[in-house]
Amino acid sequence: MPLADEPAMVLTPARVSQPQSEAPASVTVIDRNLIEASGARELYEVLRLVPGMSAIKVDGNVPTVAYHGTQARDSRRMLVLLDGRSQYQPGLARVNWNDMPVDIRDVERIEVTRGPAAAAYGANAFTAVINIITRDPRDISKHTLAVQGGNNAIRDGYASAAGRTDAGAWRASLSRRADDGYDEPFEGSRLNDAKRVETLNGEWVRELDARNTLIMQAGGSQNRLERQQEGGVQDIGIYQQDPVQKGQRAFASLQWQHAFDQHHQLQITGYGQYTRDVTDFSVCYLDPLTGQLGPGGGVLFSQELRELYLENGRDAGATFAAAQSDPDFANRYATLQSVNAPFCAASALDIEEERYDLEIQDTLQMGDRVRLVSGLNLRHDRVSSDSYLSGTYDNVSYRAFGNLAVDLLRPVTLNLGGYWERDSISGQHFSPRLGLNWRAAPGHSLRYVFSKALRTPDIYEDQAHTNIRARELSPPFSGNTEALLGWAPANFFITQTSPGTLKPERIRSWELGYYGQFPGLELDVRYFQEELTDLLSHALNPFEFEPNNEGRVDHQGTEAQLSWRPGVDHLLRLTGAHIHTRVNKKTEGRLAARDSASALWAWQLSQHWGLSSAYYLANDYNDNVFERLDLQVRFRHRVVDTELEWKGVVQHALNKEPAVFEENRYQEDRFWLGLAVRI
Amino acid sequence: MKRQGRLILLLWLAWLAPSLCAQTPLPVHVFAEDGPFRDSFMQALDVAAIPPITQVADPKQAELLIAIGDQAFRRAQKLHKPLLGVYVSRSEVTLAQRKRCQCEGIWAGVALHDQLAMLEIMMPLARRVGVIVGPQSAWTPGMVQDYQGRLGLTALPVSSVDELGDRLRESLARFDALLLPVDGQLFGPGTAKLVLLTSYRLRRPVFGPDRAYVQAGSAASLYASGSDLVAETLVHLQFFHSSKRLRRSGFVHTPTVAVNEHVASSFDMVFHDIDSLREALEVTP
């Protein structure tokens, strides 16, 4: 049997198929049955079933998913793979869960490697790796049409088709989901956090012969997200048009698998990804001297104030203090006063990211006891942005990796892994890992894992040069920009520039774990310590920009996950984490819940009826306890050859505390009804 | 289970030996395809049969006909003599009995509860097991439904090879493991790749149906080896000799264990070695 065809319990920790008891990491597997039982509408939600994982919408409708969470808004310390393609974006070091080009119904399983895995995946596999694996077209026999709708403007649709040819199979899906975000009104006004996402995802597998297989994937997504108003902008103006983020994504990948023989396999994968996000907003600016709307607001986009800002060490307070006595500023202000209209401008935060990745991976089984995975990777990232970078930047990285699994003695497996990489931003680095697994008895194993990993600064952190341009000006500023503002095009006076000297963030971690199987019961427990150093903890946005590596976080804790089937028709799944987190900057602790847990119970009442319920706890996020109970009822039946599934889901918040930040509130339960037809 | 069964069988035969040896040899004729299995089977019967048998060339001279395999079983029925089928499809025996043949059989395959006992030991996490059954399978949907044990069994009826792929794709993900009966039509070499690769991709291990499938990539199986069939045939011969009636049809009582250690290990199954598994099976109720 060629290696590619071998059964695999887990694939992610060391890039090689391994039984969980031999993997050099704690692994959580969420398969399709569990995803369906959870009742989740969106992919990020099922990650609450992972012990120690924070998964919550922080900024309105934008989810943050973080293992051993730290900062609230950043998903930048964890690698997410979608069928092997990195979803970690190079420009702003983030993972966009909203517009990931896949629907939750396309997913076969999710493997979460808990703990650093840079030894297998390189920089940015920092605290964990989430590997999302979509359904293999060879395993799909039906076309599906699904719709669901509920309160809070939940309107979702999904259509998929699949087919087989003589030597292969294909599948394609199209989906749309929309909702209105958190509850309104908040403080008497509408909360701007609705979203609409459309995705397209397709795969084609062709078995050329017994030794060669080609896998091609392509897809994309587009979204429209309402974004909440920025506090920094609210201080200096009045929004005329709330921010709206529009994004597009596209990807294509090709993989060739070649089996030399039953013990040796080569895999070559190439992919390209493109992402474009533009956030438009329109603001009428306050006159900084009067605090009222008026033409004086234009000075914020004047050349004179920009020059003063640069002369005063990029300190906004000092800039305004100096402006009081600056004649050029006074002249500009006087010029603006000649206009009898408020100064309004439309601006945009834009970013375009491209990634081209080529990887060769060789898997070699040497006898019964040694397995080696090694490979080379070449990656080219390109980021263009007027607002964040004032230009285009490239980062080319070269990588080599190897993971060796050796059965030292029959019950002891040694996993050694390392990843060397060199890139244009951070130079060269090496990330090692050592794992020792001892199968103390059949079905029971102990493991020790030590690993180091790093997160390299993203292109924005390294090359930031922000410029918020006034793209559309209100009249008469639009027709006479240079005369009124001193330059054209006009930019907001605040600009930030990265020193380009930031170091990578680092993590050093060890864990002791136990994995055991009992009749009907599976248990995984781990104790861990993690030291995160050289963290970029301070704000790096156009209004606040403090680039330094002074942040530090220490995690120490215990996690457990348990799956129990007390009977054939019942599944009880429990997870829990108790983590002590020490931080040297408060913002690093906002998403660090000391206690978190999930409990999922699924009951197949009969051939047709199924009931499932889930409970989630995070105590706490930013001093707010998150506690929710979900309930799902499903009814499946057949009409001739067509399978119909009806379902109803209710999500009930067990307290009225906001989710992380004050504006994120669930005052009302969420509920929706759905129908899926499989032909 | 196998070792203990053999011991009991030998003790029983030894206890009966003095009285049986005094009896006249039983004339039998063996129907089988020519080949090494037929030769070694007949040789083993000659050596071990108590009371002794005489293999006669002319089937009309035989008191008992033994037919190995479905084809031979069908041929032998035409002689309308007492007939014991060995490694014969259960459906074939049932069909013949409906035609009022004087025949019984040692069915191809092993008992459902034996395979399930092994599955439970090796995969303690398993609760939901899918069992594919076809018209020619060793097990019937009724047998699957009648199962009273701890596992939840679901019969997945498949009427032909053409349906097999879709049935797997639709159903496999609902189960913790898949159990296959011996079925010459459904689970031959032509479908092994489809069944096993689908099961691997969906991370659902396959148990059964025989040793060849285990070699191809099924996790484990109990199977009726040549010596198991000889031992079971001897029990039938003894019964026939003493009562002049055929013993009721059934599977072999002491099947052999085959494990694909690599697959079992990949699926994190509870398996140390064959002897430990055999011992665990022996103490299974």
Side-chain angles (χ1 to χ4, degrees), chain B residues 90-113:
Chain B
R90 184 193 170 94
S91 56
E92 205 57 58
V93 177
T94 308
L95 186 67
Q97 288 172 336
R98 277 200 204 118
K99 292 179 187 167
R100 304 209 171 268
C101 90
Q102 197 184 339
C103 60
E104 297 288 350
I106 300 168
W107 297 325
V110 298
L112 174 64
H113 65 263

Side-chain angles (χ1 to χ4, degrees), chain A residues 66-316:
Chain A
Y67 183 64
H68 294 170
T70 47
Q71 296 194 10
R73 291 195 164 95
D74 296 318
S75 306
R76 62 187 183 185
R77 292 184 181 137
M78 190 176 62
L79 180 63
V80 178
L81 301 170
L82 175 57
D83 289 323
R85 301 185 309 277
S86 172
Q87 301 300 296
Y88 186 95
Q89 295 186 241
L92 296 177
R94 70 208 190 285
V95 174
N96 275 339
W97 285 90
N98 270 332
D99 54 350
M100 207 173 279
V102 66
D103 188 85
I104 191 168
R105 298 168 190 86
D106 294 327
V107 175
E108 181 61 42
R109 67 196 251 122
I110 302 170
E111 285 184 11
V112 182
T113 302
R114 290 147 51 212
Y121 296 95
N124 311 326
F126 194 70
T127 57
V129 176
I130 296 176
N131 190 7
I132 301 163
I133 300 161
T134 56
R135 299 188 69 183
D136 191 306
R138 290 169 288 189
D139 300 329
I140 303 173
S141 60
K142 289 186 178 294
H143 310 306
T144 302
L145 198 62
V147 290
Q148 57 190 27
N151 66 348
N152 199 44
I154 293 170
R155 300 286 183 271
D156 300 341
Y158 173 81
S160 73
R164 270 180 297 285
T165 57
D166 287 345
W170 61 271
R171 65 162 179 81
S173 73
L174 189 64
S175 79
R176 180 186 196 272
R177 63 180 194 278
D179 64 57
D180 259 359
Y182 284 107
D183 279 332
E184 298 163 356
F186 174 69
E187 294 180 347
S189 60
R190 180 178 176 273
L191 204 58
N192 195 53
D193 62 355
K195 78 172 167 198
R196 192 186 69 222
V197 181
E198 284 116 19
T199 68
L200 174 69
N201 188 291
E203 180 175 350
W204 176 63
V205 178
R206 182 166 173 78
E207 293 164 351
L208 302 173
D209 54 44
R211 292 176 173 227
N212 294 286
T213 304
L214 272 183
I215 300 172
M216 199 181 94
Q217 294 183 318
S221 69
Q222 60 177 15
N223 68 68
R224 183 185 185 280
L225 305 177
E226 293 180 354
R227 302 302 304 265
Q228 290 171 21
Q229 299 181 1
E230 285 287 337
V233 177
Q234 285 173 322
D235 291 343
I236 57 171
I238 296 170
Y239 275 95
Q240 300 302 297
Q241 174 205 314
D242 282 330
V244 173
Q245 179 181 324
K246 291 177 183 168
Q248 291 91 35
R249 271 188 181 211
F251 74 90
S253 76
L254 182 66
Q255 184 178 82
W256 172 49
Q257 296 173 350
H258 174 73
F260 294 106
D261 55 45
Q262 292 196 339
H263 307 292
H264 191 191
Q265 187 209 331
L266 183 74
Q267 178 178 295
I268 300 178
T269 310
Y271 69 84
Q273 292 183 162
Y274 169 79
T275 305
R276 181 171 185 269
D277 281 315
V278 178
T279 305
D280 291 306
F281 59 97
S282 176
V283 177
C284 287
Y285 291 89
L286 304 176
D287 183 325
L289 302 186
T290 66
Q292 302 295 317
L293 281 181
V299 293
L300 299 174
F301 281 78
S302 67
Q303 188 180 22
E304 289 76 13
L305 198 61
R306 164 66 69 90
E307 284 167 1
L308 276 175
Y309 178 73
L310 296 175
E311 286 166 15
N312 285 276
R314 299 172 189 263
D315 181 326

Side-chain angles (χ1 to χ4, degrees), chain A residues 5 8-9 20-21 33 520, chain B residues 124 128 173 200-201 203 266 268:
Chain A
D5 294 338
M9 290 303 282
Q20 202 153 332
S21 62
N33 291 333
Chain B
R128 300 160 306 168
Y200 292 168
R201 284 196 300 269
R203 270 83 167 171
S266 296
D268 244 335

Side-chain angles (χ1 to χ4, degrees), chain A residues 330-344:
Chain A
N331 286 339
R332 176 62 54 202
Y333 187 75
T335 304
L336 288 167
Q337 293 307 313
S338 64
V339 175
N340 190 22
F343 176 81
C344 301

